[in-house]
Amino acid sequence: MERLVISGGTPLEGTVRVSGAKNGALPLLAATVLSEGRCVLQNVPDLKDIRTLAEILREVGLSVEKTAPNTYVTRLLSEENSVARYELVSQMRASIYLLGPLLAKRGEARVSLPGGCVIGLRPVDLHIKGLRALGAEIELEHGYIVARAPGGRLRGARMFLGGPNGSSVGATANVLMAACLADGKTIIEGAACEPEIGVLARFLNRMGATIEGIDTPRLVITGVPALRGARVTVPPDRIEAGTFMVAAAATGGDVRIEEAPLDHLGAVVAKLREAGVEVLEEDDGLVRVRRQGPLRPVNVTTLTYPGYPTDMQAQLVAMLTLADGISVVSEKIYPDRFMHCAELNRMGAQILKQAASAIVRGVPRLSGADVMASDLRAGAALVIAGLVAEGRTTVHRVYHIDRGYERIEEKFRGLGACIERLRGTPSTTLKRAA
Ligand code: UD1
């Protein structure tokens, strides 16, 4: 089992470059199912989730070639198999993105239900509601979503896609992709406005789709008979950039970030500034993050875009464990997403979980410990905690972190951190209650 071993206490300094966005690349790859032609995706991050989706695409009849380290070229070979198997889908929830494209293009799809995950229930009811509104017949059979378009075509419809916690990124992407090949006009009200949806919509338009209202909660799609191939460059990862910003701030460092999509980080930057962190846009386009004074506590609630992202919650909690006072961090997207708190407390943090909030009482220092990543962003939070803690921290279950961060230890080492990846069985067996 791989783990990251960190000797904390060094303020991060230097320059780091952000990779392409995982959550941007996944729907773009799924959208290639809709195309009759060749699609080229550039700046795709080299991550496990991407490789899993590429594997499923191959199984459903696409040729997916990696022609350069971060470039994928896809082409349709056969439409005989439209099944996304449990064995692959269970490795990555975003496989649900294939449901809309397969159904719209081929008139049928069988996609395994992704199931829950450690950050909560994560239902798919909105995906199904939206596709049913487009005329799909959908049944749940033996753990699979089995979908069919009567007569082989979906038909445009007007729908409201908002859910109990606001809009859904995944459901919006799925229905948007499906509506491109439906007969007639679709209007999606309550669409997610996350930047990844805008990138997807622009790519679909380049493939020949007609989508209006991009970057707004009202998308209007006029269906077309077929889509051609197109090219797209995956934009830089706003969450990875945010993670480096918080890490720089937590360690009291001075870091310059290349390719930080500042336009999409408004809420994160605002909270960092409130906490006493300097965030400056430099003339060369790099973003400099520096902290010299103490960290001030801040209150944060995660929301849909442009609110504070849930994917940046755990990292901020890690930073706030060292603030000069009490912070309240509330989750409006995933109320159970606080698994990192117990691990941070093992490092000396004082976090009390109250319903869907974490009350973080700042402490003067954290102390290194063995900790376990429970999910991707919780893992990033533990790495940040390890970078500031006194002594040695070992973060176990690194595979969670590798799902979303390309070469995380190399990038942090480039900023002066003392961090290395170890393989093999640790000398002391971890016997921790599940
Ligand atoms: C995406 C991101 C994930 C991020 C999340 C919220 C990808 C691959 N993943 O996940 O990193 O944390 O957005 O920004 O891009 N919901 C329903 N019914 C549904 C679907 C969602 O009730 O059918 C609820 C969810 O439980 C959650 C909220 O809607 O409370 C938002 O979820 P959603 O935006 O769909 O998240 P994902 O697309 O799964």
Side-chain angles (χ1 to χ4, degrees), residues 23 26 93-94 97 122-127 164-165 167-170 310-311 333-334 337:
N23 289 352
L26 290 170
R93 281 187 51 84
Y97 277 143
R122 304 194 75 174
V124 292
D125 57 311
L126 293 171
H127 300 243
N165 304 326
S167 52
S168 157
V169 180
T310 174
D311 285 352
I333 309 297
Y334 296 116
R337 194 175 201 176

Side-chain angles (χ1 to χ4, degrees), residues 249 272 274-277 291-297 322-324:
L272 285 174
E274 210 181 308
V277 180
R291 179 173 67 85
Q292 286 164 325
L295 275 170
R296 291 194 290 265
L322 296 167
D324 209 357

Side-chain angles (χ1 to χ4, degrees), residues 286-300:
L286 271 66
V287 173
R288 183 169 179 185
V289 180
R290 180 170 62 174
R291 179 173 67 85
Q292 286 164 325
L295 275 170
R296 291 194 290 265
V298 293
N299 297 334
V300 184

Side-chain angles (χ1 to χ4, degrees), residues 213-225:
I214 298 178
D215 292 331
T216 78
R218 186 174 191 273
L219 294 170
V220 181
I221 307 115
T222 308
V224 294

Side-chain angles (χ1 to χ4, degrees), residues 29 82 95 149 159 186 218 223 284 286 345 366 374 384 400:
L29 262 176
S82 297
S95 321
M159 69 185 82
T186 297
R218 186 174 191 273
D284 52 9
L286 271 66
N345 282 350
L366 296 179
S374 54
I384 292 173
H400 286 298

